[in-house]
Amino acid sequence: MSALAFTAPLLLLALIALPILWWLLRAVPPAPIRRRFPGIVLLLGLRDDESQTATTPWWLLLLRMLALAAVIVGFAGPVLNPRAAGTGTGPLVVLMDASWASARDWPARMAKLETLLRDAARAGRVATVLPLTDPLPDALAMQAASAWVERLPQIQPRPWAPDYAGLRDLDFGGAEVVLFSDGLDRPGRDAVAARVIEGGRPVLGLTPARYADGTIELTALRARASGARSLDIRAIGPGPSGALVELAVASIAFEAAETSAVLELNLPPELRNRVQRFEIAGERSAGAVTLTDDSLARREVALLTSAGDEAQDLLSPLYYLRNALAPTADLIEGELETILPAAPDVLILADVARLSPAETVQVTEWVEAGGLLLRFAGPTLAASDLARETEDPLLPVRLRAGGRSIGGTLSWGEPKTLRPFDEGSPFFGLTIPEEVAVTSQVVAQPDPTLADRAIAALQDGTPLVTRKPLGQGQVVLFHVTANAEWSSLPLSGLFVQMLERLAVSTRPARPAAEDLEGTTWVPRVVLDGFGTARDAGAMAGIGGEALVEPLPSADLPPGLYEGPGQSLAVNVLGPDATLAPASYPAGTVVEGLDRIAETDLMPWLLALALGLLTVDALASLWLGGRLRRGATTAAVVVLATMIAPEAQAQDAPIPNEVALAHVVTGDRAVDEVALAGLTGLSAVLTARTSVEPSLPRGVDLEADELAFYPLLYWPVVVDQPRPSDEAYAKLNRYLRGGGMILFDTRDADIGGFGSSSPTSQRLRDLAAPLDIPPLEPLPLDHVMTRSFYLLQDVPGRYNSPDLWVEASPPTEAVPGMPFRDLNDGVTPVVIGGNDWAAAWAVDSRGNALLPVGRGFAGEQQREIAYRFGVNLVMHVLSGNYKSDQVHVPALLDRLGN
C-alpha cells in the first residue's frame, strides 16, 4: 500500500487553478501610464517614505503560490503510512487478560486495540471487547467497532488474575477472536482458539517482604530467564512532612539462568518502621509492589520533647524512657506537629501538663483512631490545675490538688512498695523486685470508676498506674515520674516489662487461622492494576477466614486491611509465588504490540502555510518601505511586555540574624512603645555585648513564624483579642523549643502579677491554654541575675521586685558558694509588671522616649533596666552557661569588690 494517502483526494483538483491565479497576480497592479509634466522638476531630489513597486516580484508570487498550495493539500487530508482497512471478516471479539501483568505496557496495548477497532470500523464490522478480569456477560453484546473506540478509556487492568472459566458458556459464532495475553501461563487458556497479541516487555514481580534478625528479605521474580539483569528496589513511606517519599533504594541482580533473585536489606529502625511499600523501580504493575503491615515494623514510639530535656541525662525523664524502649521499639522525638503526621503507635508525654486546644484536639483524634497515649507525672503536672474539677479527656482519672511547697505531690515518711498485680491487670504475673519503692506521686481523686481504671497500685491501695479507653485507643497515666526522682521504678527491669505489657515495644505477630475466624477486616488502602495505592472508601469488610491464605480477586482486592488491633497486607503475589511464561497451542499466531503509526499531515501543512503568509506580509511591508516603522512599534510592545514588573506577593521578611520581637496587641500606642523599647535594647546589646541584633519587629501570632525570635516581649492589654487554637499550638511549640516570652502587665504601680488588676486578670485568660511550668519569684541566685551583669533588682519604668520565673528544683546551697548548683536551663516564661519597654524605648535619634523616675535616680533606674534586658537576652541565648562552676572564681572576685 502507498505510504501516503488522502482522506479527501478530490480537493487536490484545486491545484489546477494555481497557474490561472499566477497570471491574475502578475496583472495586478496594471502597468503605469507615462505623462510628461514640466513641474516634475520641482520634486527632483525628494524621497518618498512610502513606495509601491510597478509589478509584483516573481519570488513574492511564488511564496504566495506555495502557501496556497499548502492550504489545498492540507485540507485534502494527507495521511502518512495509512493503515489497511483490516483483513478479517465478520464480528470481531477481543479478549483481554487485563491483569496486573498487562499493566506493564498498558498504553501500547490500548493503542494496538484502538488500531484493531478503527480498522474494523473502516470495514463496517461489529465488535466486542471482553476484559477477563471483569465479570463476563451471559452472551456476546456486539456493537459498532467505532462505538468501542470511545469506551476504551473505561477499560483498566485489575490487580488479580484473569478467569477463563466463563468463556466455555459463550458462543463466538464464527467471529474473529483476538487475545491480548499478559504473558503468563493461565489455566483454561488452551481452550480458546485465537490470534494472540503479546507484549515483549518482561513480566516482573515482587513477593512480600520478610523480616528476621534485623534484616528485610525481598524476592524478585521474572517469567523468563533472559540473561543477567539488575533492578532497583525502592522503599516508599512518609517523610517528615507526612508526604510519601523514597526512603531507600537498593539493587537486586538476576543471574543469567535464574528467574528469582533475593535481596537482603538493612534499614535503620526509624526508616524501616515508616516503609509502607516496596516496589521495583520503573515498573507500573501491582505485581511489582508489595505492601507492608504491622508484621514488618516494630512499634513506633513518639516522645514529646522540649528545650528543658537538654538537661543532665540522669535528671531527664526521657533518658530513662529512651534506655527502656530503644532495644525493642523505634523512637521518634520532636514536637507534636512533626511526630503526629508520622502516625506513631504510642505517644509519650513525660511531665507535660497542658496542651493547647488545637493540640488537644489533634491528640484526642489520634487516640480515638487507635493510638496509645502514655503519660508520666512530674512537678509540672502536679503543680497544674489540670483535671481537678472535671476529668480531662487525655487523663484517665481526676487528680487531687497539692500544696505548693511540695509541688502537689503526696509524700510519705517511708517509701511505699508495690502490691502484686491483679489478675485483670495487663501486668499480671510480673515479678515485683523488692527494691522498687515509691516516695512521691500524684494522687487520683476518689471516684466510682477508679477501681476499674487502676491497673497497678501500692501496698496501701493507692493507684500507681491508671488507664481508660478513648475511642479505639487508650490513655495510661503513671502517677510517678519517668526518672528516679519520685521512685526507683525506672531503674528496675520491671519498668521495661510493664512497658512491654502495655504493647509499647512489642511486635505484633501475624494472627493464626484460628485467631482470624469470626473477625472482620476493613480495607483501608487498595491497589489498582498499576500498583497505585488508593483509599478504599466505603468498601465492605471481609471475614478473617479469607485472610488465612488470601487470593486476590474482585471480592478481595490487594491492599491493607485493618482488624482487631493490627493491620494485614494482601499482596498480588504470595510468599511462595512463581511466574511461569505463557504457552500456546501449536500453530497459534503470536503478534507483538509494534505498529506503524499513522501520521496526519494536515496540521503540519497548515502551519507551513501560516508561516509562508507571515513571510509574505513582512516582505510586502519591506517593499513598501513601512517595515522600519512597524518593526519599531512591535519592538516597543515586546520590550514593554518583557520589562513589565510582575506583581508578586511580598512575604514578611525573615531575620537573618538574632532579632527581638514583640507581640502585636492591636493597641497602636502600646505597640509603638514596645517596638521603640526593643529598638533601644537592641542598640545597648550591640554596644556592650557580642550580640548584634537586627531591627526588632512586631509579630502576628496568627500568621508569623515565631521560631526565628529567641525572645518575645508580650505587653498585656485588657482588650487584646484571644489568640486562636492554632496560635496557641504555635506558642506551645515555641516554648518547648527553647523560646522565652516576657509577659509585661505594665501595672506594677498599682498591683503587679497576682493582683486583681484588669491586666493581671487578662493575663490569666491569655496564658491559660499555654503549657507553663510551675513558677516562683526570681531567686537571688538565679542564673538570670548573673548572665552578664550582677543584678539584685529588675526595674523598668516601675521598680517592683516581683518577677516570676520557672520554679527551680529543691537544692541545698553549698557552704562558701555564692549560688546553688541548679544547672537550670532557660525559663520559658518570665512574668512581671515593670513596663520594661517604656524604660528601654528610644526615638529615632537614640534619645529616651519616656521619662523614668526623677533626676539622677531615674536615669540610674533606666540603666539597671537596660542591664536587666541585657541579662534577659544573654540568658535566653546562653542558657545555664553561667551556672557552670568554672565561673565561680570570677563571680567571687566580683562580689568581693
Side-chain angles (χ1 to χ4, degrees):
M1 185 176 178
S2 174
L4 182 65
F6 294 89
T7 58
L10 293 179
L11 288 180
L12 296 176
L13 296 176
L15 294 175
I16 302 175
L18 289 182
I20 302 175
L21 185 60
W22 174 280
W23 178 80
L24 291 175
L25 291 177
R26 291 292 294 177
V28 178
I33 301 175
R34 294 181 177 272
R35 303 292 185 189
R36 295 184 179 273
F37 179 57
I40 197 68
V41 296
L42 299 175
L43 302 178
L44 295 178
L46 297 180
R47 182 177 179 181
D48 193 354
D49 292 335
E50 296 184 4
S51 60
Q52 185 175 1
T53 59
T55 59
T56 303
W58 67 269
W59 55 267
L60 187 58
L61 283 177
L62 179 60
L63 195 65
R64 293 171 180 174
M65 292 299 101
L66 291 176
L68 187 56
V71 171
I72 295 173
V73 176
F75 280 109
V79 178
L80 187 63
N81 298 321
R83 293 188 301 269
T87 58
T89 59
L92 173 64
V93 177
V94 179
L95 304 178
M96 302 190 71
D97 281 345
S99 68
W100 60 268
S102 301
R104 69 190 191 277
D105 47 16
W106 190 253
R109 291 172 182 269
M110 299 307 292
K112 184 73 172 182
L113 176 57
E114 182 180 355
T115 299
L116 291 178
L117 293 174
R118 291 192 181 277
D119 291 346
R122 290 179 183 177
R125 302 168 63 189
V126 294
T128 187
V129 179
L130 298 178
L132 300 181
T133 49
D134 292 343
L136 294 177
D138 296 332
L140 297 179
M142 295 293 179
Q143 295 183 6
S146 58
W148 274 103
V149 174
E150 304 298 329
R151 298 172 57 183
L152 290 184
Q154 303 175 13
I155 303 175
Q156 296 294 329
R158 306 296 184 185
W160 50 80
D163 183 12
Y164 282 84
L167 292 178
R168 300 189 185 97
D169 301 329
L170 295 179
D171 182 14
F172 295 107
E176 180 188 7
V177 181
V178 178
L179 171 64
F180 279 79
S181 172
D182 61 5
L184 296 180
D185 189 30
R186 302 295 186 185
R189 182 184 286 160
D190 295 343
V192 179
R195 178 163 59 101
V196 176
I197 297 178
E198 180 182 328
R201 187 171 180 177
V203 182
L204 301 174
L206 200 61
T207 62
R210 297 186 180 95
Y211 180 79
D213 300 328
T215 301
I216 300 173
E217 183 179 290
L218 293 162
T219 301
L221 304 175
R222 59 180 177 176
R224 288 185 171 87
S226 53
R229 182 180 180 183
S230 295
L231 302 173
D232 286 338
I233 306 297
R234 303 171 63 217
I236 306 297
S241 65
L244 293 181
V245 297
E246 181 184 283
L247 301 177
V249 61
S251 295
I252 187 171
F254 285 98
E255 298 292 338
E258 297 295 331
T259 57
S260 64
V262 178
L263 170 67
E264 292 185 353
L265 186 61
N266 292 307
L267 291 179
E270 60 273 14
L271 290 183
R272 185 183 65 250
N273 281 356
R274 283 158 49 191
V275 174
Q276 293 184 356
R277 55 189 277 168
F278 291 97
E279 62 182 29
I280 300 177
E283 288 293 316
R284 283 191 75 210
S285 165
V289 173
T290 178
L291 298 176
T292 63
D293 53 23
D294 292 342
S295 62
L296 178 65
R298 297 191 301 177
R299 292 284 184 179
E300 189 172 63
V301 180
L303 304 178
L304 181 64
T305 59
S306 61
D309 298 325
E310 298 176 1
Q312 293 180 357
D313 283 344
L314 295 179
L315 300 179
S316 172
L318 297 184
Y319 172 78
Y320 295 85
L321 291 169
R322 293 187 188 101
N323 283 274
L325 296 173
T328 53
D330 295 328
L331 306 180
I332 57 174
E333 302 183 24
E335 297 291 339
L336 284 177
E337 65 174 357
T338 59
I339 59 180
L340 281 185
D345 300 293
V346 183
L347 173 62
I348 297 182
L349 306 183
D351 194 21
V352 175
R354 193 178 300 275
L355 301 175
S356 71
E359 292 174 329
T360 300
V361 171
Q362 293 175 1
V363 175
T364 302
E365 292 177 348
W366 173 81
V367 175
E368 291 177 342
L372 170 63
L373 176 61
L374 183 58
R375 305 191 67 164
F376 288 85
T380 302
L381 181 61
S384 71
D385 59 353
L386 191 65
R388 303 300 191 208
E389 302 297 331
T390 59
E391 182 178 317
D392 188 271
L394 298 181
L395 282 175
V397 294
R398 293 188 300 123
L399 303 176
R400 286 185 180 180
R404 175 176 175 75
S405 62
I406 54 175
T409 63
L410 178 63
S411 300
W412 303 275
E414 295 294 333
K416 300 293 183 181
T417 58
L418 280 67
R419 73 180 184 187
F421 301 114
D422 296 334
E423 187 174 351
S425 170
F427 310 134
F428 177 72
L430 294 180
T431 302
I432 302 176
E434 296 181 357
E435 64 272 13
V436 174
V438 177
T439 57
S440 300
Q441 70 169 143
V442 291
V443 182
Q445 289 274 20
D447 188 90
T449 63
L450 181 58
D452 296 332
R453 297 184 178 183
I455 56 178
L458 303 178
Q459 288 289 356
D460 60 0
T462 305
L464 179 66
V465 184
T466 53
R467 178 178 66 177
K468 77 171 182 181
L470 182 60
Q472 298 181 9
Q474 55 183 332
V475 180
V476 179
L477 172 65
F478 278 72
H479 291 239
V480 294
T481 58
N483 58 12
E485 184 177 355
W486 286 8
S487 74
S488 59
L489 178 62
L491 301 177
S492 68
L494 177 63
F495 186 61
V496 178
Q497 294 174 335
M498 294 175 72
L499 295 178
E500 290 180 349
R501 288 291 183 93
L502 289 172
V504 171
S505 59
T506 56
R507 177 194 305 282
R510 189 174 184 90
E514 55 270 18
D515 298 328
L516 290 171
E517 292 182 3
T519 60
T520 301
W521 297 74
V522 180
R524 180 168 61 89
V525 174
V526 294
L527 293 179
D528 63 12
F530 296 106
T532 303
R534 304 184 185 277
D535 185 19
M539 291 181 59
I542 62 170
E545 296 81 359
L547 296 177
V548 177
E549 293 182 1
L551 181 64
S553 64
D555 298 326
L556 182 63
L560 196 63
Y561 292 79
E562 289 187 344
Q566 68 179 107
S567 61
L568 292 178
V570 175
N571 290 295
V572 172
L573 299 177
D576 303 322
T578 58
L579 299 181
S583 59
Y584 309 102
T588 302
V589 178
V590 180
E591 303 177 11
L593 296 176
D594 298 334
R595 64 191 183 98
I596 301 177
E598 258 187 3
T599 304
D600 186 3
L601 299 180
M602 176 187 290
W604 299 98
L605 290 172
L606 295 182
L608 175 62
L610 181 61
L612 293 174
L613 292 176
T614 302
V615 175
D616 173 75
L618 294 175
S620 299
L621 291 175
W622 177 67
L623 291 174
R626 294 186 296 272
L627 182 59
R628 178 176 300 176
R629 184 172 58 189
T632 302
T633 304
V636 171
V637 173
V638 172
L639 184 60
T641 304
M642 294 177 61
I643 66 175
E646 296 182 2
Q648 298 179 350
Q650 298 295 324
D651 297 330
I654 296 176
N656 296 323
E657 301 175 348
V658 174
L660 308 180
H662 70 90
V663 174
V664 175
T665 64
D667 188 317
R668 182 176 179 181
V670 174
D671 292 340
E672 289 179 351
V673 172
L675 185 61
L678 295 181
T679 301
L681 179 58
S682 299
V684 171
L685 286 166
T686 301
R688 304 183 184 183
T689 71
S690 60
V691 180
E692 298 181 358
S694 59
L695 292 178
R697 62 210 70 198
V699 295
D700 183 354
L701 296 178
E702 305 293 339
D704 295 335
E705 177 57 52
L706 308 180
F708 304 108
Y709 311 101
L711 173 65
L712 279 183
Y713 175 72
W714 191 334
V716 181
V717 296
V718 176
D719 55 352
Q720 180 176 359
R722 184 184 177 91
S724 65
D725 292 347
E726 292 75 12
Y728 276 119
K730 188 187 304 181
L731 285 168
N732 279 331
R733 291 194 299 269
Y734 173 76
L735 294 176
R736 295 174 193 142
M740 176 192 289
I741 300 179
L742 172 60
F743 288 100
D744 191 350
T745 57
R746 303 174 297 112
D747 60 354
D749 57 333
I750 59 174
F753 178 70
S755 67
S756 59
S757 66
T759 52
S760 294
Q761 295 178 1
R762 185 56 180 161
L763 174 59
R764 294 189 186 97
D765 296 337
L766 292 174
L770 296 177
D771 188 15
I772 297 178
L775 303 177
E776 66 177 357
L778 179 70
L780 294 178
D781 59 351
H782 194 278
V783 67
M784 194 185 300
T785 63
R786 60 182 184 276
S787 57
F788 193 84
Y789 292 102
L790 295 177
L791 296 179
Q792 295 179 344
D793 300 316
V794 289
R797 193 178 188 187
Y798 311 117
N799 192 8
S800 169
D802 294 334
L803 187 72
W804 293 78
V805 296
E806 181 181 7
S808 303
T811 305
E812 297 294 334
V814 178
M817 294 291 293
F819 51 82
R820 293 172 294 168
D821 184 15
L822 299 177
N823 196 27
D824 49 336
V826 176
T827 174
V829 172
V830 178
I831 301 177
N834 282 336
D835 198 3
W836 288 283
W840 299 334
V842 295
D843 57 19
S844 58
R845 298 182 179 180
N847 299 321
L849 188 64
L850 298 172
V852 175
R854 294 184 178 180
F856 177 77
E859 291 307 312
Q860 183 68 18
Q861 181 175 329
R862 190 192 303 276
E863 172 61 25
I864 301 300
Y866 276 128
R867 294 187 179 188
F868 166 69
V870 171
N871 275 24
L872 194 68
V873 175
M874 298 303 291
H875 172 54
V876 73
L877 293 179
S878 60
N880 57 11
Y881 171 67
K882 282 299 179 69
S883 282
D884 294 342
Q885 299 300 313
V886 69
H887 300 287
V888 170
L891 291 173
L892 289 175
D893 182 63
R894 291 287 304 277
L895 290 172
N897 293 334

